[in-house]
């Protein structure tokens, strides 16, 4: 299990201090410009053409060899260490060194922004409400720093801008398009993700970091007709409503109290008008848990309950079930996590490296590692994944004062702080961006062959 949450992470100054990240001003300025542009022009999953182009252009300027259109709008940059002229391409006759893959996501969410920021989304109903714009900008900054230091490290950096993370199919799409076959199998894959923790901090977990998930699309068939003659119809809305209520017992009555599991009916669509009984109703059901067995049991329970309600309602046809997406449990490599946590503590100070308790959010990053071996065919790829605090000090302290009783959640986040996917989600980019740049650069150089004392620190 993950470590216990920090009691009061607001106790430390959340801004960068004497041991904080030192990011060159030109790198930080370019990364900030990229962030502001991406935030103002968000694109939904599968439609990230402009975002991909801006990120690819930035990587090329940093010195990467860039390939576009991998697995959709995916971007891959390759940066190798500086040649020494001795024939091996990496210096002093030693082997070429390790390969580290650094990943960030391209897509935004169907959320209407309500931050009031001067650079708020210019696209109606679409917003970078999960911090992917910040991930991309921080990754660019880290790559720019690594490129400027190429003579100091040995190895290869693969940089991935992944599409369609929010729909949980972008990582698989890139891997199935030959990501590892075309660009090489990485030794290690790294990523970071924004979280409602103090800006200037990072958080690492022990054990699982995020849940595995299954998204199900369900269609219930009825018999349509006139709303004034319900006796001549089989109303799928009633059956769907009964199923939604009954599905709430899957976790409350079929999962052990100690087993972390979540079932969410995120969408219910049926009909167009009050005087027409529709032919069908559609449900979108999200399942989250920390083991494949728990997810399988929940999926079986969903099917059993929906079929039972359809039988009880006299539906003329069996319901239909389709898996819209799956993602494995995100469980980073334990030894690698220990190494990176120590590096981040030396970079930022121990008070700014927080513990993280496993969360039931989900994402598709785990496919890049051992969990995706059946997809990419590579055994032994290790992963590491940490959280990047983005809440400004003023917002954090105001929330803490407003929720003095039980101010902090299980993972140390302050109640009342706008979190990921909220219309008010607004990272403190002045502090979070340089921290994210330095944390990713430091993580990469922990894997690359870097002489003692020559790292981002």
């Amino acid at each position: 299990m993950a470590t216990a949450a920090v009691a009061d992470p607001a106790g430390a100054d959340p801004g960068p201090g004497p041991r904080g990240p030192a990011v060159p001003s030109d790198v930080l300025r370019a990364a900030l410009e990229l962030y502001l542009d991406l935030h103002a022009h968000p694109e939904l999953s599968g439609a990230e053409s402009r975002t991909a182009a801006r990120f690819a252009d930035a990587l090329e300027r940093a010195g990467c060899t860039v390939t576009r259109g991998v697995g959709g709008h995916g971007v891959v940059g390759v940066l190798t260490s500086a040649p020494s002229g001795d024939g091996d391409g990496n210096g002093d006759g030693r082997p070429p060194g390790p390969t580290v893959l650094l990943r960030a996501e391209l897509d935004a969410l169907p959320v209407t922004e309500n931050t009031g920021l001067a650079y708020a989304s210019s696209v109606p109903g679409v917003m970078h409400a999960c911090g992917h714009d910040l991930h991309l900008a921080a990754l660019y900054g880290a790559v720019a720093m690594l490129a400027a230091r190429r003579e100091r490290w040995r190895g290869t950096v693969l940089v991935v801008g992944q599409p369609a993370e929010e729909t949980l199919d972008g990582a698989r799409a890139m891997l199935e398009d030959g990501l590892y076959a075309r660009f090489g199998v990485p030794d290690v894959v790294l990523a970071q993700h924004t979280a409602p923790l103090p800006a200037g901090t990072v958080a690492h977990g022990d054990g699982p970091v995020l849940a595995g998930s299954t998204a199900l699309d369900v269609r219930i068939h009825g018999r349509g007709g006139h709303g004034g003659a319900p006796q001549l119809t089989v109303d799928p809305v009633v059956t769907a409503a009964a199923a939604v209520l009954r599905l709430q017992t899957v976790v409350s009555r079929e999962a052990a109290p100690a087993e972390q599991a979540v079932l969410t009916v995120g969408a219910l669509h049926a009909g167009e008008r009050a005087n027409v009984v529709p032919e069908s109703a559609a449900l979108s059901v999200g399942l989250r848990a920390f083991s494949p067995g728990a997810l399988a049991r929940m999926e079986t329970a969903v099917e059993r309950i929906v079929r039972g309600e359809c039988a009880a309602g006299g539906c003329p046809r069996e319901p239909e079930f389709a898996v819209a997406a799956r993602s494995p449990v995100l469980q980073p490599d334990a030894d690698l996590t220990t190494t990176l946590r120590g590096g981040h503590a030396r970079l930022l100070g121990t008070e700014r490296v927080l513990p993280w308790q496993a969360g039931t959010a989900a994402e598709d990053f785990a496919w890049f590692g051992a969990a995706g071996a059946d997809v990419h065919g590579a055994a032994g790829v290790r992963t590491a994944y940490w959280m990047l605090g983005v809440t400004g000090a003023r917002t954090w302290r105001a929330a803490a004062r407003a929720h003095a009783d039980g101010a902090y959640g299980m993972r140390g986040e302050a109640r009342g702080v706008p979190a990921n996917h909220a219309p008010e989600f607004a990272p403190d980019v002045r502090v979070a961006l340089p921290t994210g740049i330095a944390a990713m650069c430091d993580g990469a150089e922990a894997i690359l062959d870097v002489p003692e004392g020559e790292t981002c620190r």
Side-chain angles (χ1 to χ4, degrees), residues 16-27:
R19 290 180 293 173
V23 177
S25 60
D26 58 332
V27 171

Side-chain angles (χ1 to χ4, degrees), residues 342-358:
H344 287 160
R346 290 187 291 275
L347 174 73
L348 303 172
T350 56
E351 71 280 2
R352 296 185 190 131
V353 179
L354 309 177
W356 176 261
Q357 183 161 337

Side-chain angles (χ1 to χ4, degrees), residues 143-205:
V143 172
M145 288 182 68
L146 290 167
R149 304 157 61 86
R150 290 175 62 197
E151 75 285 351
R152 304 185 187 182
W153 52 266
R154 177 179 286 101
T156 300
V157 179
L158 299 180
V159 189
V160 168
Q162 180 205 309
E165 184 279 323
E166 294 293 353
T167 52
L168 300 178
D169 52 12
R172 281 193 66 125
M174 293 192 75
L175 291 165
E176 290 170 349
D177 197 20
L179 176 64
Y180 289 178
R182 295 164 61 182
F183 302 98
V185 177
D187 298 285
V188 164
V189 185
L190 307 181
Q192 59 187 347
H193 203 294
T194 59
L197 297 169
T201 68
V202 298
H204 290 271

